[in-house]
Amino acid sequence: MKLRPVFSVGCAVAALAVGLPAAAEPVTSADFAKAEARAVATLKQMTVDEKYVLTHGIMAVPFIPGTVVPADGVLGAGYVAGIPRLNIPALTESDASLGVAWVGGLRHDGATALPSGLAQAATWNPDTLYAGGAAIGAEARAKAFNVLLAGGVNLARDPRNGRTFEYLAEDPLLSGVLVGAAIRGIQSNHIISTIKHFALNGQETGRKYVDVKIAEGAARESDLLAFQIGIEQGQPGSVMCSYNRILGKQGCDQDWLLNKVLKQSWGWKGFVMSDWGAVPGVEAAINGLDQQSGEQLDKAVFFTGPLKAKAAADPAWAARVDDINKRVLTAIYATGIDKFPAKPGGTIDFAAHGQIALDAAKQAIVLLRNANGALPLAKSTKSIAVIGGYADTGVLSGAGSSQVQGEGGPAAVRSVGGDGPFAAFMNQQYHRSAPLKAIKALAPQATVTFRDGRYIADAVEKAKQAEVAIVFANEWRAEGLDQPDLSLPDGQDALIAAVAAANPNTIVVLQTGGPIAMPWLDKVAGVLEAWYPGARGGEAIASVLFGDTNPGGRLPVTFPASLDQLPRPKLDGADWVEPNFAGDAAPGKDQLHANYDIEGSDVGYRWFARKGAKPLFPFGFGLSYTSFAGSGLAIAAKGVSATAHFTLTNTGKLAGDDVGQVYLVSRKGEARRRLVGFQRVSLAPGASQQVSVTIDPRLLADWKDGGWTVPAGDYGFALGRNADDLGPVVTVKIAGKTWKD
Ligand code: BGC
């Protein structure tokens, strides 16, 4: 087994006590090794026909013509039949990037909506992602699901990507560590988790056919490294391959990616499931795909008859079919879904899970601007004008397969049009946690007014009458569509500018699915980035506004100052591909290419550093109501192993959280910019904490000639407040080394 745990980033793994089966704990690589031996024994007992059961499954929704969800299936994203004779359970699959999904409104049983992936990443706290994963895994069990389609970890290569809200970050270390923690939490419930979408699924525009070009070294050092770390730390039972093409081949039919990298180089023992409608033909099996998911969405069911015919004619194909079965069984046994079956009708502790969502949302909120200490607001404030963003109703969420809804369904649904069964997946939905109510609760003496913001003059009038104006500005994103630019839609920029001109104490609360532009930034007193804050988001926002929570979130993505700063100022295909959730073929689809060699592995802040470009807000940025200092950076290096030691001190008057960030800034005299370690700490006023982070040698290395190379020489490191604000450089000699995965 070549996979190994890496990094110590202070991620204590404590099994959460809420709703878990007894003795639940994360799945380890040792569990996979034992499970594989059992899988081989079961394989020997399988008949020829039984070998074509685990190879394919349906989308388990009645609205696809001809679909009948079997009696042991559960309404959700997928179903793969089991083999009762061999005590092999059916796989019952739900989408679960942010909670157990509501499947376009088909499910009415409610689930806890965690904050968006980007929000969770803004916590920089693996413990928080573990707790969220453990909670949604427990909810899945209670609803009889045993596979969660979770673990979205595509790097934010483009801030316009419509699915940025579902993913984590632009950096492979941050993304990999956090997704690993979420997967550990999910699988601690005897549930299989995926990690997805493998790989380089960097845009939604033309997602089913866009062809991504990237050199192997650049891919290994960036997007693939996020997956590699996530797999090492999380040990997911399954990898979901992606829709897009990579070097001319679809992700689910990509021999290099699935066989050579994932299975051979990384030695991963689980199974690759396809994305829904992503299988071009039976050859995908030889190219590394193990299971055809959502088979009604493909042109044919390839992984039954056609696969059987190939195996009957060719021993190499027969061996592949055995390997497929061994891999699916290994994941089943490693996670124990056969011994600890998830049953319907379980109870969910919504109060406890809501608390987990609330904690995550509070930790995630990033304070972007606080002119003259405008925030926190005094609870004695006499009058507050709340404006816009459906703040009287609930908090925004992102759309697509990851959409979750709580008990009672959405507080409000704003249709964006479309027709057919998939249109319901594409509405703007609000969770039942109204910021207005939460604000009123924390400022009981204040007169609080609300205007929806549709009429600027009316909102301005209210803002003039109040001590403080709080404008809620929303930017909705959805799977299947990218943003045309980074502006706030529906005239909200003009609304904010007008309110700010009327009231100097204007605070903007953003609910966005990714970076946005802020043309009004220096006109407003304060800005909070609340992302899509999940089931209890309204309370989290109010808690930060009034200082019950001191904001400690840090940006997991760069906010560009303009689109010109990006590697691709124009998103490939944006001018001619029709936005389409189903994302099916468009005329000229073979012409859609995305050249990731432009930036290579310099994604996000690394690109900005390479170009010397100044973003609106850098990666890692976040203010606080207190102040912090980092000091005493020392790097202990032995061979290519290095550990960073430093001290974080709360130099202000309030308790708060800081995130220590260590960056590589130079290698052998050449400038570099790379996050190599991080840790979030809570500090009382005046308190200090010593922090140590282990630096993974891959973060110092180049991938070339089929392996990693760390050149011997001087390496410069610095503590950063963020990727652009670096402390003194500490230089150490690192010994050279070359190695394979
Ligand atoms: C998405 C996947 C999802 C699947 C099943 C696809 O459209 O890309 O993330 O798991 O549908 O709903």
Side-chain angles (χ1 to χ4, degrees):
M1 185 71 173
K2 293 181 200 159
L3 298 177
R4 60 194 188 282
V6 285
F7 315 110
S8 137
V9 285
C11 41
V13 180
L16 194 81
V18 180
L20 302 190
E25 50 186 49
V27 176
T28 65
S29 58
D31 294 324
F32 272 86
K34 268 189 261 157
E36 191 180 42
R38 242 185 102 198
V40 170
T42 305
L43 183 63
K44 291 196 180 120
Q45 300 172 47
M46 290 173 97
T47 64
V48 171
D49 283 347
E50 282 170 346
K51 290 185 182 174
Y52 299 91
V53 176
L54 300 176
T55 50
H56 68 108
I58 57 166
M59 183 164 190
V61 290
F63 61 69
I64 299 181
T67 301
V68 178
V69 181
D72 62 345
V74 186
L75 197 64
Y79 168 84
V80 176
I83 308 174
R85 182 184 81 84
L86 297 171
N87 193 31
I88 299 169
L91 303 182
T92 47
E93 303 171 338
S94 172
D95 275 301
S97 286
L98 313 171
V100 178
W102 88 318
V103 208
L106 291 177
R107 294 192 67 93
H108 300 285
D109 50 349
T112 302
L114 297 174
S116 64
L118 205 55
Q120 292 184 60
T123 70
W124 293 57
N125 189 347
D127 294 349
T128 302
L129 278 94
Y130 181 91
I136 65 178
E139 296 196 5
R141 283 191 71 78
K143 297 169 189 287
F145 288 112
N146 59 18
V147 178
L148 288 187
L149 312 178
V153 72
N154 295 96
L155 290 191
R157 266 186 190 264
D158 196 297
R160 290 160 293 194
N161 184 349
R163 253 180 135 168
T164 300
F165 76 91
E166 216 182 313
Y167 301 140
L168 295 168
E170 66 189 21
D171 177 79
L173 173 67
L174 184 59
S175 298
V177 168
L178 296 182
V179 81
I183 293 167
R184 279 201 307 276
I186 290 171
Q187 293 197 157
S188 70
N189 292 278
H190 302 297
I191 300 277
I192 293 174
S193 177
T194 62
I195 187 168
K196 68 187 185 183
H197 308 86
F198 195 61
L200 296 151
N201 194 168
Q203 67 179 63
E204 290 298 283
T205 303
R207 65 174 173 162
K208 287 197 173 167
Y209 45 90
V210 59
D211 187 16
V212 167
K213 180 168 160 286
I214 189 166
E216 174 161 13
R220 291 281 204 149
E221 294 165 14
S222 57
D223 300 62
L224 298 190
L225 186 56
F227 277 94
Q228 191 177 11
I229 295 169
I231 290 172
E232 289 165 353
Q233 301 213 349
Q235 298 290 326
S238 184
V239 166
M240 186 189 293
C241 48
S242 60
Y243 284 126
N244 53 292
R245 290 180 292 158
I246 301 129
L247 304 172
K249 292 283 279 176
Q250 270 187 255
C252 292
D253 190 26
Q254 230 301 355
D255 173 63
W256 163 65
L257 205 56
L258 305 182
N259 285 330
K260 305 226 164 42
V261 175
L262 177 64
K263 293 180 177 177
Q264 290 161 22
S265 189
W266 297 351
W268 179 69
K269 292 179 187 300
F271 70 99
V272 179
M273 71 165 73
S274 72
D275 202 339
W276 272 230
V279 185
V282 69
E283 277 72 25
I286 280 293
N287 289 329
L289 178 65
D290 298 305
Q291 193 177 70
Q292 182 179 7
S293 313
E295 63 196 17
Q296 314 98 304
L297 305 182
D298 287 319
K299 288 206 176 72
V301 183
F302 303 111
F303 277 41
T304 50
L307 187 58
K308 199 171 175 185
K310 290 273 191 195
D314 184 338
W317 281 79
R320 180 75 260 275
V321 170
D322 282 355
D323 182 54
I324 288 177
N325 281 284
K326 184 184 79 177
R327 285 175 172 279
V328 181
L329 289 169
T330 299
I332 290 173
Y333 296 154
T335 49
I337 66 172
D338 57 329
K339 291 196 176 146
F340 302 91
K343 299 198 181 102
T347 49
I348 292 177
D349 190 341
F350 280 112
H353 292 178
Q355 187 62 45
I356 289 168
L358 176 62
D359 285 348
K362 286 178 178 172
Q363 287 185 42
I365 292 173
V366 183
L367 177 60
L368 292 175
R369 177 172 167 85
N370 196 11
N372 306 319
L375 290 169
L377 300 175
K379 288 185 180 168
S380 54
T381 305
K382 292 278 175 299
S383 54
I384 303 172
V386 177
I387 295 161
Y390 291 80
D392 60 334
T393 307
V395 286
L396 186 60
S397 54
S401 58
S402 68
Q403 179 79 60
V404 181
Q405 274 304 342
E407 290 173 295
V413 177
R414 186 176 164 199
S415 170
V416 289
D419 62 5
F422 283 106
F425 283 83
M426 299 299 288
N427 290 325
Q428 296 184 19
Q429 301 194 23
Y430 289 79
H431 295 309
R432 293 172 181 264
S433 179
L436 182 66
K437 189 172 164 207
I439 287 168
K440 284 181 176 167
L442 291 189
Q445 300 161 29
T447 302
V448 183
T449 58
F450 178 74
R451 288 295 182 274
D452 61 23
R454 284 182 302 135
Y455 294 95
I456 291 181
D458 174 41
V460 162
E461 194 50 42
K462 281 290 142 194
K464 273 189 193 151
Q465 291 167 8
E467 248 178 273
V468 175
I470 308 175
V471 186
F472 283 78
N474 293 352
E475 187 237 26
W476 173 78
R477 295 194 185 201
E479 175 181 343
L481 326 169
D482 292 315
Q483 308 303 91
D485 55 38
L486 299 177
S487 63
L488 287 170
D490 301 331
Q492 293 175 100
D493 283 329
L495 173 69
I496 295 169
V499 171
N503 188 325
N505 296 320
T506 293
I507 309 296
V508 177
V509 177
L510 296 167
Q511 294 179 71
T512 75
I516 57 143
M518 301 178 209
W520 34 260
L521 183 62
D522 57 3
K523 308 280 189 320
V524 302
V527 181
L528 289 182
E529 174 57 88
W531 316 106
Y532 302 153
R536 307 265 307 265
E539 291 156 80
I541 291 167
S543 178
V544 172
L545 283 171
F546 289 97
D548 287 351
T549 297
N550 189 349
R554 301 285 185 267
L555 294 181
V557 287
T558 304
F559 279 42
S562 73
L563 292 176
D564 296 345
Q565 294 181 318
L566 299 176
R568 279 165 293 284
K570 185 173 90 51
L571 188 81
D572 294 296
D575 49 345
W576 61 273
V577 175
E578 280 299 300
N580 174 3
F581 176 52
D584 291 327
K589 70 186 176 81
D590 292 338
Q591 303 312 313
L592 184 55
H593 300 280
N595 182 8
Y596 291 171
D597 280 331
I598 296 171
E599 73 277 28
S601 63
D602 286 336
V603 180
Y605 66 91
R606 291 178 56 189
W607 170 259
F608 278 73
R610 179 162 123 190
K611 291 287 172 186
K614 192 98 194 113
L616 181 63
F617 290 108
F619 174 81
F621 181 88
L623 303 172
S624 169
Y625 299 152
T626 187
S627 52
F628 297 101
S631 60
L633 178 65
I635 308 286
K638 190 163 176 232
V640 284
S641 303
T643 306
H645 304 278
F646 55 95
T647 303
L648 294 175
T649 303
N650 182 342
T651 53
K653 293 195 171 57
L654 292 170
D657 285 7
D658 194 16
V659 178
Q661 305 170 35
V662 184
Y663 291 88
L664 172 69
V665 297
S666 67
R667 194 179 77 173
K668 296 181 69 177
E670 274 178 27
R672 298 252 148 175
R673 192 73 51 92
R674 185 128 206 204
L675 180 74
V676 295
F678 63 92
Q679 182 153 353
R680 181 171 177 139
V681 297
S682 297
L683 292 168
S688 289
Q689 187 173 323
Q690 300 228 311
V691 179
S692 298
V693 294
T694 307
I695 299 171
D696 188 290
R698 290 172 294 192
L699 301 171
L700 310 179
D702 297 318
W703 173 276
K704 54 182 186 188
D705 305 327
W708 298 101
T709 298
V710 171
D714 284 344
Y715 285 69
F717 297 92
L719 270 179
R721 299 282 343 135
N722 55 63
D724 255 9
D725 182 1
L726 301 167
V729 177
V730 172
T731 305
V732 288
K733 288 218 177 310
I734 303 246
K737 190 174 169 184
T738 296
W739 72 100
K740 301 275 182 208
D741 270 321

